[in-house]
Amino acid sequence: MAALTEKEKRELDATRRENGIKNMYYTRYFLIRYVVAFFFFIDLYWILMFLSASNFSLVIIPVLMAADILMYDADVVPVGKDQKQHLEMTRDIAMKFNQQYGVELFKLPEPLTLDDSAVVPGVDGQKMSKSYGNTINMFASKKDLKKQIMSIVTDSTPLEEPKNPDNNIAKLYALFASIEKQNEMKEKFLAGNYGYGHAKTELLNAVLEYFGEARERREKLAQDMNYIHDVLFEGGKKARAIAQKKVMKAKEAVGIIGNMYKYY
């Protein structure tokens, strides 16, 4: 067999990566099928048949989260205050499967929620979420990051008057600044002659300082996408090896025999 050219090698590597990614999703899909089917006592297909498009995410998103958690035997899961119900659903699925088939296959993960970051406010004061379009991207360019921070919604209190120190800017600032710095900002708000624009500038500087190394690292990594793809591919192989074993154990517990997809 003739040696492969460099072009053929790259094409072969790309095909392997694509197959690896596909099988990662296949693994998650089949675990979701098993878990959901037994939790609701009917096949996932029939659940989706009766769900409208608007309600689809209400079931599939928490179930997808559950599959990702249960596949890897997580003991503790970092979650925000608003995500605890998803973890409760994960625990319910695990308990139902274990009880139904008399096994201890899935661990019951515990939530880990930090009090000071249970709910992070967005630029509009609501919970920060991509769905709301109110996020602050710490890896955006300095120009875009400044634009996002300067768009934080505030009231119309005049510059010279005291202001409520428990505002959205202060809440975000608390995520990055020391207690001393936080107290300084609160005192400035209460004293007056300190505008929201000043506070936003302090927040911007705090974010840039806090994420300085990470921003530089990300910028360097963005220049070497081949390295990124290689890391993802290798990580995918490790994850699949664990997930495939879990899927096979789930199939054995249920009584399903044989592979349903090809491993790479």
Side-chain angles (χ1 to χ4, degrees):
M1 180 178 179
L4 297 176
T5 64
E6 287 300 318
K7 181 179 179 181
E8 289 172 334
K9 288 180 180 179
R10 288 195 299 270
E11 291 176 348
L12 180 60
D13 287 340
T15 301
R16 285 174 175 171
R17 289 194 187 99
E18 182 179 353
N19 288 336
I21 292 172
K22 286 180 180 178
N23 278 292
M24 176 181 69
Y25 285 108
Y26 292 157
T27 301
R28 295 166 70 181
Y29 167 74
F30 284 116
L31 185 57
I32 290 171
R33 273 186 70 92
Y34 301 143
V35 171
V36 175
F38 305 128
F39 180 60
F40 292 102
F41 298 103
I42 55 175
D43 192 86
L44 177 60
Y45 171 78
W46 294 109
I47 295 175
L48 302 183
M49 285 290 287
F50 290 101
L51 285 174
S52 65
S54 61
N55 292 328
F56 179 82
S57 61
L58 295 178
V59 171
I60 201 63
I61 290 178
V63 172
L64 181 60
M65 292 173 62
D68 286 337
I69 294 168
L70 297 177
M71 273 194 295
Y72 303 104
D73 289 333
D75 295 305
V76 177
V77 181
V79 292
K81 185 177 180 181
D82 58 312
Q83 295 294 314
K84 281 189 176 181
Q85 67 270 26
H86 286 173
L87 191 59
E88 284 301 318
M89 185 172 181
T90 298
R91 289 171 57 86
D92 289 342
I93 291 173
M95 284 191 292
K96 188 63 183 179
F97 187 98
N98 291 344
Q99 292 172 0
Q100 182 73 20
Y101 294 100
V103 295
E104 293 296 329
L105 181 61
F106 296 122
K107 285 188 176 182
L108 305 184
E110 297 291 339
L112 175 62
T113 304
L114 303 179
D115 292 338
D116 58 353
S117 61
V119 177
V120 177
V123 297
D124 57 358
Q126 299 185 78
K127 180 197 75 171
M128 186 178 289
S129 171
K130 287 184 178 180
S131 302
Y132 297 156
N134 62 357
T135 59
I136 295 176
N137 182 2
M138 70 286 289
F139 293 117
S141 66
K142 186 175 180 180
K143 180 180 178 180
D144 289 339
L145 181 59
K146 180 178 180 180
K147 183 178 179 181
Q148 292 170 3
I149 290 177
M150 290 301 171
S151 69
I152 295 175
V153 176
T154 57
D155 59 37
S156 57
T157 305
L159 171 66
E160 63 277 6
E161 292 188 12
K163 299 169 183 63
N164 179 7
D166 188 29
N167 55 60
N168 292 332
I169 303 172
K171 290 177 181 177
L172 288 168
Y173 189 66
L175 299 174
F176 312 108
S178 65
I179 296 296
E180 291 76 14
K181 289 289 186 180
Q182 295 175 47
N183 290 334
E184 285 180 15
M185 177 176 281
K186 290 180 179 179
E187 290 173 3
K188 291 176 183 177
F189 276 127
L190 292 171
N193 290 314
Y194 180 72
Y196 291 120
H198 299 128
K200 290 177 181 179
T201 299
E202 286 196 49
L203 174 59
L204 172 62
N205 293 333
V207 172
L208 289 172
E209 181 180 357
Y210 189 88
F211 291 104
E213 287 188 27
R215 286 170 60 87
E216 291 179 9
R217 176 64 172 158
R218 187 182 189 281
E219 189 173 340
K220 290 180 181 178
L221 289 173
Q223 306 303 317
D224 189 1
M225 294 308 297
N226 286 333
Y227 171 74
I228 298 297
H229 292 152
D230 288 342
V231 170
L232 291 174
F233 180 66
E234 291 301 317
K237 286 200 300 185
K238 294 178 181 179
R240 282 192 301 278
I242 297 172
Q244 288 165 0
K245 291 179 180 179
K246 182 66 73 173
V247 170
M248 293 304 295
K249 289 181 180 179
K251 290 167 64 177
E252 290 173 4
V254 176
I256 301 176
I257 301 174
N259 294 335
M260 299 183 70
Y261 57 95
K262 185 178 180 181
Y263 298 163
Y264 285 86

